[in-house]
Amino acid sequence: LEEMERWTHQLRGVRGDKFPEARTGPEGTILPEGTIAIGCSDDYESAVGILRHDDILLPHWKEFVDAFALYLKHHRDHEIRYYLMIINFELQSQVINILAPILSIIDQFALGANSLSNRDVQAVFGASHGIKNIIISQNNIGSEGIALIANFLTSNPPLEYLLRNRTSLNDEDTIMLANALRTNTRLGQL
């Protein structure tokens, strides 16, 4: 637990009960208890840039996942919903694949302004089959990425909420999503 707190605090991590002064997220929202937010800016609206991917960080992503999974194994409080927010990072699919083990045990995964490629979108949705809420804001996801999301929605995952604001959609993208929603009985809000 101490190792996880040290690591997440170094990367602007937030554990609401340990660092109450840092419990605000993007646009001044209050982060609920159980939130870990990692980013190079508290506000992705005003960030000057994103933290670029570097392979030197890969062992640290693994360290974070191991610490978070260990924490949940020993301290999981089923009254608390667990959220992971990653803002202003260039997340490549290899990082998302490292995050995959915890994506199946958290309640919400938020990615804001992370420059996701179509391959990265596929990795996120491929690893998120148990997650209830996904937020993918400001990621410039194109039509191919929207097709991957539509395909994911067609599989009727337990996803209840998908926020994709500030992601450009054309008419064909909208039709793809609408068709996917015909078979999806679980998604309550898009």
Side-chain angles (χ1 to χ4, degrees):
L1 176 60
E2 289 177 54
E3 182 66 17
M4 180 183 153
E5 288 177 357
R6 178 192 62 77
W7 194 91
T8 56
H9 187 59
Q10 285 177 347
L11 286 178
R12 306 252 331 125
V14 176
R15 242 187 114 235
D17 57 339
K18 187 72 174 181
F19 305 106
E21 72 283 357
R23 288 193 63 194
T24 57
E27 300 173 11
T29 57
I30 301 299
L31 300 176
E33 186 175 358
T35 299
I36 294 178
I38 301 172
C40 62
S41 172
D42 287 340
D43 179 6
Y44 58 78
E45 296 286 333
S46 63
V48 259
I50 66 171
L51 183 61
R52 296 285 173 210
H53 172 80
D54 192 322
D55 285 344
I56 199 166
L57 293 174
L58 292 175
H60 300 290
W61 284 111
K62 177 79 171 109
E63 178 185 6
F64 166 72
V65 167
D66 291 344
F68 190 54
L70 184 64
Y71 172 79
L72 288 179
K73 180 180 177 182
H74 294 290
H75 302 285
R76 176 116 195 179
D77 181 343
H78 293 285
E79 300 296 315
I80 297 175
R81 295 179 60 119
Y82 291 89
Y83 303 89
L84 176 59
M85 293 174 41
I86 301 176
I87 300 166
N88 291 323
F89 269 83
E90 181 182 44
L91 287 183
Q92 293 187 351
S93 52
Q94 52 192 144
V95 173
I96 295 165
N97 290 334
I98 290 170
L99 293 170
I102 59 173
L103 295 184
S104 63
I105 57 176
I106 61 174
D107 301 292
Q108 178 172 305
F109 187 40
L111 295 167
N114 292 301
S115 298
L116 297 178
S117 70
N118 291 324
R119 188 171 139 193
D120 303 333
V121 170
Q122 185 173 16
V124 167
F125 286 92
S128 302
H129 281 283
I131 222 162
K132 294 191 186 294
N133 299 306
I134 298 177
I135 298 171
I136 47 169
S137 302
Q138 293 186 332
N139 280 296
N140 300 321
I141 297 169
S143 292
E144 187 178 337
I146 297 297
L148 293 166
I149 293 169
N151 188 47
F152 174 77
L153 293 174
T154 303
S155 72
N156 205 24
L159 188 67
E160 297 170 358
Y161 178 84
L162 174 62
L163 176 65
R164 40 123 275 342
N165 65 347
R166 298 188 188 129
T167 300
S168 300
L169 294 176
N170 60 36
D171 291 344
E172 292 81 21
D173 297 338
T174 306
I175 291 169
M176 263 191 291
L177 288 173
N179 288 334
L181 293 175
R182 288 183 181 164
T183 59
N184 187 299
T185 60
R186 296 180 177 171
L187 188 67
Q189 186 173 358
L190 173 64

